[in-house]
Amino acid sequence: MSKKNPGLDFLEDPDALEGKLEDVGDYFQQNKNIVLGILGGIVLLVVGFFGYRYYISTQDETAQVEMFPSLYQLEADSLKKALNGDGRNPGLLAVADNYGSTPGGNLAEFYAGLGLLKEGKYDEAIDHLKGFSSSDLLVQARAYALIGDAYMEKKSFDEAADHYRKAADYKSNKFFSPGYLLKLGVAYEQAKQNDKAIAAYNEIIEKYNQSAEAPTAKKYKSVLEAAVGES
């Protein structure tokens, strides 16, 4: 004969069940403020979560609308208007500042960095490009490479090399990685790190031998090896 579980008596005994319900009722009466406070906190969290998601969604739509004219101006090389606005549209810098927590504001950081780089404002460009983050294959690697370009202009070759390496390694592929590796090799040459430059060129030759950059990598490697041999 199986043993009866005393903890489940209330499922079979109506009197026991009534007693359990009375215990629950007594507990609630004694701790009503605590229970209601906990329930109220949960409701606020749920409402806040969905409210925040809705807010971000509407803010992102606004950011996308405000950013669009600036992208057209950026393509047309109207850099000042693209970055600072034209009286009708706020410009990329304002969109990035006002809507930074939205996908549209995040993308504005990227384009603002690109525009500032074209203007020769390298430190500001670096700040905005570093403020951008994406899992996108093309744009994130491009952002790293643009930071590298800005550091090259500043003659900070080690920092440039670091970011070209990030660009080349970010979801590496045969379409874009060879170009970033070529920039990496040049940065290492400028930094007088010839062994690393040759290694970068070799990486193109060995991994991406069919790429458009492979002949240039072979040429740069040959010239560098000859120069190193003569020194």
Side-chain angles (χ1 to χ4, degrees), residues 17-72:
L17 177 59
E18 182 179 353
K20 290 290 184 181
L21 293 175
E22 287 177 356
D23 290 342
V24 172
D26 290 342
Y27 178 84
F28 179 77
Q29 288 299 324
Q30 294 171 11
N31 301 277
K32 181 169 60 175
N33 291 337
I34 295 174
V35 173
L36 291 177
I38 292 173
L39 291 174
I42 293 172
V43 170
L44 285 175
L45 284 173
V46 172
V47 171
F49 172 74
F50 286 104
Y52 178 75
R53 288 188 63 181
Y54 175 75
Y55 171 77
I56 290 296
S57 176
T58 56
Q59 289 290 94
D60 183 50
E61 289 179 7
T62 304
Q64 298 280 359
V65 169
E66 292 187 0
M67 180 172 57
F68 180 77
S70 298
L71 297 183
Y72 179 80

Side-chain angles (χ1 to χ4, degrees), residues 57-74 81-100 102 104-105 107-108 111:
S57 176
T58 56
Q59 289 290 94
D60 183 50
E61 289 179 7
T62 304
Q64 298 280 359
V65 169
E66 292 187 0
M67 180 172 57
F68 180 77
S70 298
L71 297 183
Y72 179 80
Q73 291 164 338
L74 186 64
K81 290 181 179 179
L83 290 168
N84 302 307
D86 57 6
R88 293 172 297 176
N89 304 294
L92 293 168
L93 294 174
V95 173
D97 186 52
N98 294 334
Y99 306 101
T102 70
L107 197 57
Y111 286 115

